[in-house]
Amino acid sequence: MGGGNLHVPATSLPKLAAGPVGQQIHSIYKERLRQFTGNGQYSSQNLQAAMYEGRASGGEYVKLQVYSPPDLSRPTFKEAISHEFRDTHVGESFGPSWSTHWFKIDLKVPQNLQKKERLEFHWDADNEGLIWTTGGEPLQGLTGGGERTEWVLPESFRDGNSHTFYIEMACNVMFGNAVGDIIQPPNPNRYFQLRVADIVAVNLSARALFVDFWIIGDAAREFPENSWEEHAALQTCNSIYDTFINGHGTQDSILKGREIARKYIGNVDSSKVYETDEEPLVYGIGNCHIDTCWLWPWAETKRKIARSWSNQCDLIDRYPEYRFTCSQAQQYKWLETLYPKLYDRVKSKVKEGTFQTIGGSWVEHDTNIPSGESLVRQFLYGQRYFESRFGERCQTFWLPDTFGYSSQLPQLCRLAGMPRFFTQKLSWNNIDIFPHSTFNWVSLDGSQVLCHMAPANTYTASAHFGDVNRTISQHKSLDQDNTGLLVFGHGDGGGGPTFEMLEKLRRCRGLSDKIGLLPRVKMGDSVDDYFARLEKKAENGTEFVTWYGELYLELHRGTYTSQANNKRNNRDSETMLHDVEYLATMATLKDSSYRYPKKEIDEIWEDVLLCQFHDCLPGSCIEMVYQDCDELYKKVFKTGLKLLEGALSALGLDRNTSSNDELKAINTLPWPRAEIVRVPGTEDECALVTGGPGVSNVEKLTSANEYTASIKEIEDGIFQLSNDHFNVQVKDGAITSLVDLAEDRDIIPKGRKANQLVIFDDKPLYWQAWDVEVYHLRSRLELRPSKSYIVDEGPHMVSLCTETKISKSSWIKTTISLAASIQDQPSYVAMSSEVEWHETMKFLKVEFPVDIMNTEASYETQYGIVRRPTHYNTSWDMAKFEVCCHKWADLSEAGYGVSILNDSKYGFATAGNLMRLSLLRAPKAPDAHADMGRHHINYAILPHAGPLDHRTVRTARNFNHPLKIFRAPSSTPSSSAALLSSIQLKGSRALVLDAIKRGEDDEDVSRGELPNRKGRSIILRVYESLGGKARGVIEVDGEVLDVKKIEKTNLLEDEGEVVEGKEGRWRIELRAFEVATFRLQL
């Protein structure tokens, strides 16, 4: 082909093969990675062996002394160091559970370690601890068990002299003192051995390479198989390992390994890694979610706060990009009171914006069980605390861990100045997957908050590669927004983020910028910054999806019932506080010498709000917590009774019903009442109470009175109770017939039994105190009574008692009562049960089958009504086999309905036409004695012609607010009566005047936390209760009260819109289920 010279291109490829080269077997090379950093059989040969450059221990360098306080006491620093310390040593054990031991440590750094790059003190007794300076300043918490066991020694300790500090040891681990399964009751005799107390020189390059390798190894394991990014990660890791082996684990081989790592993740040794222009998708925020009580008591929580928050202050100093957020005003107040130096340190961080307050509530509370006014006070007390201490209110309601979310929360959040909401608990649903991550949550009244649920499905992420990745891969709202919050840090038991977490996130960011594929994470922003970006998107046209009504958690349904006495105390305290505030408000207007007891009321509210923490009130804490609750409630009721008596005395009224003065009653509810009651101090005397609001008349009834009820045994074992409204037949304690005489209608289906006690086997999949599972319904067993007998034969009130043996050790006595009917007032059949309960994993309920058909039942919730299915058409419907209600549940059809009332219960179910009230459970974890003992339960069945309306709302409220009978001198009640009824709400009967109190910052009331308001004011809380627009009139008796103006304000009592009115009448209009707050300026 031609005779020219052929040009052959030059190549560096050898002409001859040097030998065979095989393809890597990926599974083997991936599995190999664990050898490099693991603690197993190769730890003496791998990177672990190079992590430390020296170690010193023993009495010459680390002298240990201990003081062990007696009786499980927790002395302050000042108290503890005043005692004599004895010598101790590594290897000694300390206990028992919940005890405290103070260690005095004299530390001397040996000469051979003094010039090392990093010196740390390592301490591990497998329990929690707190390091203190000799001046009484808490420095840092210690977790134990290999987690957060290091304290970076100050540079001043390198001088060769002895330096002293203290460690306060708490004999519990992060999750209490259970052995093995953390939710089991705590072991009271647990001891902890001090295993490590060493001065350690740390090889920072080796520690950094460890984290490099960790994240790149995660990329090799978690990036899509056969992607180039996965292959590159695996090759990088193996190259690092080979370099370490070939270099015999020297410092030079470690540094070369870091150079290899940089090719994959870039330079990640400072916060500058975040200073690129690349758009992030994941926003990291540290938190430590300390359960205010759970598997430990409040006393230990107070120390957990100090341990955890001191840790975070230290990390903020070391990592410029780090931002930490923390909720719960109660915890800040504890810190302020018990650890003032640390509080000042936290406050300085808040001011600089690195320690960020959030949440706006007193505690991270339950939202199912507290009353509407309790939810208001969570926000009122929380926001006022944050504003008074830190100069600003919270904009985001932060509630990552509670057991379902009330349908009125969005409205209350907006009224408390928080348009934003963060949570994640719905990721725990065990039936259906909640479909959104970022959405607008809409309340019953139409109010909305912008909600974000962490897509990684945790509020305690470990800041792993996978956590960053899942923040986008599991995001359910990417159509509207492709960013997510990564909320990381050890939680529940506290602790918060660690330095390893912050180091991992730096590497994740470097990897994203260098390689891609992993969503880019950013540090340094706040939660409010994140929500502000979402709000800006909405402003620019993004339409976030909406979710209307409650956020029902498909799990933890047993918490509506567990720890019954605690729930009763909550309901009773809420009722008492309503009355205290109403009467104290009126007393300040009658008697100028009477001081509104703001301090005492605040203290009661703070205690009640504390007990509403999301593990405490639901019933999922250890026994110690409920012992503490009992003591706290004793104080609450004692103080409340004293305040009631003080207010009544100022009003000229006396609770002593044994005197010869005239009997009167106090009706603290905002509508007239007419009821037959038993006269206090008598066995069978009855009286008719009529009137109110305020002072009501008491008329003793005689046998000749027109208001009568009767009872008779019409057949052997069959009893009939009657009044002008009902004929009730009872057999074996169950109601077999309940005839509404006016409607000629029996509401009990033929052959069925109402007030039938039933018991179920109750063994959930795991969470005993928390859960009841749908399969428990398959174990239904009717309880059969032993005898029934007449207790009251009338003529004004009749009752029948039935005794039932539940087991060898448990019994129940249920009294069915029927009072004489009073004209057009609703009449109901009341049940009062005394229960001796000593069961194991059983669930006691009472059933009411009714002749009513509807596919939805109605349940009272805070400030409104929730309607839920009575069928199981879908899994979403079936998931609501047990739901939360407040004072009533109702099943109605066109023209007729039945309501079930209660005075202390929250669990309910309506399946078809069967209404079922949950009474008692018997879980054995985490409290082995939960609900054991004596209980008193009141409930009632209220039939009603016509639809569900104000009659049920008011009768249930009456049922929970017994009339207060007292004696009044004939010379005093008239002025008090006029005052107590001087403010009334007229108009639509759907409107409820729920609270009357004094203004928080009135100059004669204020405690000086926030600026005073001139003059005096009265606050009214009003809500629409039935679900429709409602108009009303606030009427004020001008001869008694001089009201200058009325404002519609918010929950925080800010300046509001003036309400037009004249001649003592101010017209108001509320939308469906709206909550409105009015200030009456005097």
Side-chain angles (χ1 to χ4, degrees), residues 858-875:
S858 300
Y859 304 85
E860 187 191 39
T861 188
Q862 299 96 340
Y863 298 130
I865 298 170
V866 176
R867 293 179 174 86
R868 302 182 177 109
T870 62
H871 54 77
Y872 297 159
N873 283 0
T874 70
S875 58

Side-chain angles (χ1 to χ4, degrees), residues 277-330:
D277 295 330
E278 302 294 340
E279 191 68 25
L281 298 177
V282 178
Y283 294 84
I285 190 75
N287 87 121
C288 71
H289 180 72
I290 302 174
D291 280 324
T292 301
C293 56
W294 181 30
L295 304 176
W296 53 88
W298 290 321
E300 197 56 46
T301 303
K302 296 169 185 177
R303 302 200 296 188
K304 283 177 177 285
I305 295 164
R307 293 191 286 260
S308 300
W309 295 7
S310 60
N311 290 339
Q312 301 315 306
C313 288
D314 175 64
L315 287 176
I316 287 169
D317 290 339
R318 291 160 57 190
Y319 290 85
E321 73 271 25
Y322 181 45
R323 301 294 180 268
F324 176 75
T325 195
C326 196
S327 66
Q328 306 196 73
Q330 172 70 88

Side-chain angles (χ1 to χ4, degrees), residues 366-383:
D366 178 73
T367 77
N368 287 316
I369 296 168
S371 68
E373 191 61 29
S374 286
L375 295 183
V376 168
R377 301 308 174 95
Q378 287 285 353
F379 293 145
L380 178 68
Y381 281 88
Q383 289 285 50

Side-chain angles (χ1 to χ4, degrees), residues 66-86:
V66 66
Y67 161 63
S68 298
D71 304 323
L72 304 186
S73 61
R74 296 177 172 89
T76 65
F77 172 84
K78 187 176 181 180
E79 292 168 344
I81 66 169
S82 68
H83 289 272
E84 184 176 345
F85 284 65
R86 66 170 177 83

Side-chain angles (χ1 to χ4, degrees), residues 638-904:
K638 181 179 179 180
T639 305
L641 180 60
K642 182 178 178 181
L643 297 183
L644 281 170
E645 290 174 344
L648 287 170
S649 178
L651 290 165
L653 309 173
D654 186 359
R655 289 290 298 278
N656 179 15
T657 58
S658 63
S659 71
N660 294 321
D661 291 325
E662 185 180 3
L663 277 177
K664 290 290 182 179
I666 286 280
N667 172 13
T668 58
L669 295 181
W671 44 72
R673 294 169 68 172
E675 298 175 24
I676 291 176
V677 300
R678 298 191 186 280
V679 178
T682 69
E683 290 188 6
D684 55 6
E685 278 191 62
C686 292
L688 174 64
V689 178
T690 55
V695 178
S696 303
N697 294 319
V698 178
E699 175 191 352
K700 284 191 177 181
L701 297 176
T702 66
S703 58
N705 194 283
E706 61 180 302
Y707 305 112
T708 61
S710 64
I711 185 171
K712 57 185 176 181
E713 189 170 8
I714 57 176
E715 295 182 30
D716 186 24
I718 301 176
F719 299 85
Q720 180 172 289
L721 294 74
S722 302
N723 64 14
D724 290 343
H725 288 172
F726 302 132
N727 276 338
V728 184
Q729 288 191 13
V730 180
K731 180 181 180 182
D732 293 333
I735 298 172
T736 57
S737 174
L738 200 171
V739 176
D740 183 329
L741 298 174
E743 298 294 315
D744 190 24
R745 176 170 183 159
D746 192 341
I747 69 163
I748 308 301
K750 189 174 182 179
R752 305 287 294 279
K753 296 178 290 185
N755 194 43
Q756 175 63 58
L757 293 166
V758 289
I759 197 165
F760 299 85
D761 190 69
D762 188 15
K763 298 184 180 72
L765 296 174
Y766 176 66
W767 300 95
Q768 282 196 47
W770 294 258
D771 284 348
V772 58
E773 289 296 349
V774 66
Y775 54 74
H776 86 286
L777 296 171
R778 298 165 64 94
S779 63
R780 177 183 178 274
L781 176 67
E782 290 187 5
L783 294 178
R784 300 190 178 278
S786 56
K787 61 179 177 180
S788 297
Y789 48 91
I790 295 172
V791 177
D792 295 303
E793 296 186 276
H796 311 297
M797 187 176 295
V798 297
S799 58
L800 174 73
C801 182
T802 299
E803 297 182 5
T804 303
K805 194 77 171 174
I806 298 172
S807 67
K808 291 181 180 180
S809 53
S810 301
W811 51 261
I812 181 169
K813 289 197 293 188
T814 300
T815 300
I816 301 175
S817 299
L818 184 66
S821 54
I822 305 170
Q823 300 163 359
D824 60 348
Q825 295 296 310
S827 190
Y828 55 79
V829 182
M831 276 66 72
S832 177
S833 293
E834 181 181 11
V835 189
E836 185 69 21
W837 183 247
H838 296 282
E839 297 302 296
T840 297
M841 301 177 194
K842 298 295 181 183
F843 202 152
L844 180 67
K845 306 186 184 189
V846 60
E847 295 180 342
F848 295 90
V850 294
D851 191 16
I852 301 290
M853 176 62 70
N854 200 325
T855 56
E856 287 186 329
S858 300
Y859 304 85
E860 187 191 39
T861 188
Q862 299 96 340
Y863 298 130
I865 298 170
V866 176
R867 293 179 174 86
R868 302 182 177 109
T870 62
H871 54 77
Y872 297 159
N873 283 0
T874 70
S875 58
W876 292 85
D877 300 325
M878 188 190 71
K880 295 183 174 71
F881 62 84
E882 180 86 3
V883 298
C884 185
C885 77
H886 278 229
K887 293 180 288 294
W888 56 264
D890 182 86
L891 185 63
S892 292
E893 61 188 23
Y896 206 89
V898 176
S899 301
I900 305 298
L901 318 180
N902 77 83
D903 75 339
S904 61

Side-chain angles (χ1 to χ4, degrees), residues 396-469:
T396 301
F397 182 36
W398 179 272
L399 194 61
D401 180 26
T402 198
F403 310 149
Y405 303 86
S406 165
S407 51
Q408 285 287 47
L409 276 178
Q411 178 180 188
L412 300 181
C413 285
R414 295 305 295 256
L415 291 171
M418 293 183 288
R420 305 157 176 172
F421 177 46
F422 173 83
T423 187
Q424 70 81 48
K425 195 68 175 187
L426 293 192
S427 67
W428 284 44
N429 279 4
N430 71 346
I431 296 179
D432 298 291
I433 297 174
F434 189 76
H436 312 303
S437 295
T438 304
F439 60 99
N440 282 319
W441 181 24
V442 184
S443 194
L444 290 178
D445 78 313
S447 301
Q448 66 178 1
V449 291
L450 184 55
C451 179
H452 181 68
M453 296 188 181
N457 291 342
T458 181
Y459 53 88
T460 58
S462 295
H464 291 318
F465 176 101
D467 293 321
V468 175
N469 195 43

Side-chain angles (χ1 to χ4, degrees), residues 234-245:
L234 184 58
Q235 296 308 307
T236 300
C237 285
N238 276 280
S239 179
I240 292 170
Y241 197 177
D242 291 341
T243 299
F244 182 84
I245 292 172

